[in-house]
Amino acid sequence: MTGITMMVSSRGSFELEMWQWLLFLGALLVTALATAYMNSTFSRYEKVFSASGLTGAEAAEKILYSRGLGSMPITCIAGRLTDHYDPSRKSLGLSESTYHRSSVAAIAVAAHECGHAIQDDTGYVMLSLRTALVPVTNLASQLAFPIIVLGIIFSLPVLAQAGVYLFAAVVVFQLVTLPVEFNASRRGLQMMTELKLVNGEELAMSRRVLTAAALTYVAALASALMTLLRLLLITRRRSD
């Protein structure tokens, strides 16, 4: 009976180990695929120049001005696809590949970031919630893994589980991020249409660019969920 029990225990341990590796590799894969698709889509439409001749910065200026936000600073920042809206400074940061170029991709990305600025100006609840979660999420992501490791090393299941709960905050943040990003894209596309920044064909291209960008956030959520499940399996195995 003891031998049979050991075999069952060994098999269960192997299955847990297998699931842990599958979740780890799955998290890496979905992130890599989404990033690769985003980069290839952006690169494709980065080469398509808009008929309007507007650069990303000029398109952003027109959108912000039309919404009474003409005084908002628009700065050029280093990097590629590092574009963002800073709600604390009420400013728009456009990467070099967006700020100076008059491509369909540049205008689409700039319009998306303007969508975030409009969200902030109109008091969009989900953006406010995400902004409030940023410091909590940053702290949780920094502490979660060290706490889990310490819990395992010192055989303290409660401490390890606390680390897992901390990482759950990262999952919540990624979940809240999804509607914020999709809504910003919808607003951006709407403004591009209303202001005639692109023609019909270019609008379809812009939608592809923003859809590819949105998939990176979907992948981030999926990756975070798989990592959370993996951590649950690890702590469960150690506590058994």
Side-chain angles (χ1 to χ4, degrees):
M1 290 293 291
T2 303
I4 294 174
T5 302
M6 290 178 64
M7 288 176 63
V8 171
S9 177
S10 177
R11 181 179 178 182
S13 178
F14 173 76
E15 288 178 349
L16 281 174
E17 190 77 27
M18 181 185 69
W19 276 110
Q20 289 172 31
W21 278 106
L22 286 176
L23 288 168
F24 173 71
L25 294 174
L28 290 179
L29 183 61
V30 295
T31 302
L33 288 175
T35 302
Y37 181 63
M38 173 57 201
N39 286 331
S40 65
T41 303
F42 184 84
S43 295
R44 177 182 178 185
Y45 294 111
E46 187 180 30
K47 299 179 179 67
V48 180
F49 290 96
S50 174
S52 68
L54 294 171
T55 64
E58 291 168 342
E61 286 177 357
K62 286 183 175 293
I63 293 174
L64 294 176
Y65 182 81
S66 71
R67 297 302 299 260
L69 301 171
S71 61
M72 180 175 292
I74 303 174
T75 57
C76 181
I77 56 178
R80 186 172 184 269
L81 295 176
T82 51
D83 313 85
H84 66 276
Y85 169 70
D86 187 342
S88 63
R89 298 183 178 181
K90 310 294 183 186
S91 65
L92 213 63
L94 300 180
S95 63
E96 296 168 345
S97 56
T98 300
Y99 192 97
H100 297 293
R101 296 182 66 86
S102 58
S103 66
V104 169
I107 293 175
V109 171
H112 172 87
E113 298 307 330
C114 287
H116 286 308
I118 296 170
Q119 286 175 338
D120 192 15
D121 183 59
T122 56
Y124 182 59
V125 175
M126 296 304 288
L127 177 64
S128 300
L129 178 58
R130 185 176 75 169
T131 302
L133 286 173
V134 168
V136 177
T137 305
N138 288 339
L139 183 63
S141 62
Q142 291 172 8
L143 295 179
F145 289 98
I147 288 176
I148 291 171
V149 171
L150 288 173
I152 292 173
I153 291 174
F154 293 104
S155 299
L156 296 171
V158 174
L159 187 61
Q161 289 170 4
V164 174
Y165 293 142
L166 277 175
F167 188 80
V170 177
V171 177
V172 172
F173 177 80
Q174 295 294 350
L175 186 61
V176 171
T177 293
L178 280 186
V180 174
E181 296 300 328
F182 279 108
N183 181 268
S185 290
R186 183 184 63 78
R187 291 174 189 260
L189 290 168
Q190 180 181 350
M191 296 307 299
M192 290 165 66
T193 303
E194 289 181 6
L195 299 176
K196 296 181 172 57
L197 302 181
V198 293
N199 58 37
E201 185 179 1
E202 291 170 348
L203 184 65
M205 296 177 187
S206 300
R207 187 172 283 107
R208 293 186 197 113
V209 171
L210 297 182
T211 298
L215 287 177
T216 63
Y217 294 100
V218 174
L221 174 60
S223 176
L225 281 169
M226 284 187 277
T227 301
L228 179 62
L229 288 174
R230 179 169 172 260
L231 293 175
L232 285 169
L233 287 175
I234 291 173
T235 53
R236 175 191 168 189
R237 179 184 177 187
R238 296 293 178 176
S239 61
D240 288 344

